[in-house]
Amino acid sequence: MKLYVCWGTFNIPARRHPCRDALDALKAAGHDPEVVKAYGFGGFPNALNATSGRREVKQLTGQSWVPVLVTDEGEAIHDSDKIIAWAAAHPAADSGRVGAADGH
Ligand SMILES: N[C@@H](CCC(=O)N[C@@H](CS)C(=O)NCC(=O)O)C(=O)O
């Protein structure tokens, strides 16, 4: 699976970072998505979002905002709340270790 994010999955102090939240939820569910940095900005017109990641996001979802999850079945899901809900509903088959999926 692929997770398209903005410039990374860093923490943003004192506010939510939807891309980070989406990745955390997927990892907590035992997934290890390929993280694709889309750069640009969701509010920019297409011409300023010329990276392949942004173009793919637009093609997949009809809009340019990230995060966007593309599941192994090819389903494209946004926004972060829906990705978090998807992760909770679809724990990785071999995870079986809820709470221990944070990379440690
Ligand atoms: N409601 C959206 C908000 C997405 C959002 O604000 N994304 C941040 C990046 S994490 C942003 O600045 N997006 C602009 C962009 O697409 O780069 C969600 O929760 O997914």
Side-chain angles (χ1 to χ4, degrees):
M1 70 177 58
K2 273 191 194 176
L3 181 68
Y4 291 87
V5 301
C6 53
W7 294 73
T9 54
F10 38 82
N11 269 318
I12 301 178
R15 56 158 283 202
R16 286 188 61 200
H17 181 183
C19 297
R20 172 66 182 237
D21 293 348
L23 180 62
D24 282 350
L26 290 164
K27 284 190 171 171
H31 298 290
D32 187 19
E34 176 190 348
V35 174
V36 181
K37 292 180 187 170
Y39 305 105
F41 178 68
F44 282 170
N46 290 345
L48 293 179
N49 278 327
T51 63
S52 57
R54 286 284 169 187
R55 283 199 301 268
E56 284 159 28
V57 162
K58 180 87 184 204
Q59 209 169 17
L60 287 162
T61 66
Q63 55 88 62
S64 298
W65 293 84
V66 290
V68 171
L69 171 68
V70 182
T71 67
D72 290 339
E73 287 72 38
E75 184 187 5
I77 300 170
H78 72 100
D79 55 10
S80 63
D81 287 343
K82 291 205 181 110
I83 296 170
I84 290 165
W86 183 92
H90 298 85
D94 64 350
S95 71
R97 49 190 182 108
V98 173
D102 61 357
H104 298 291

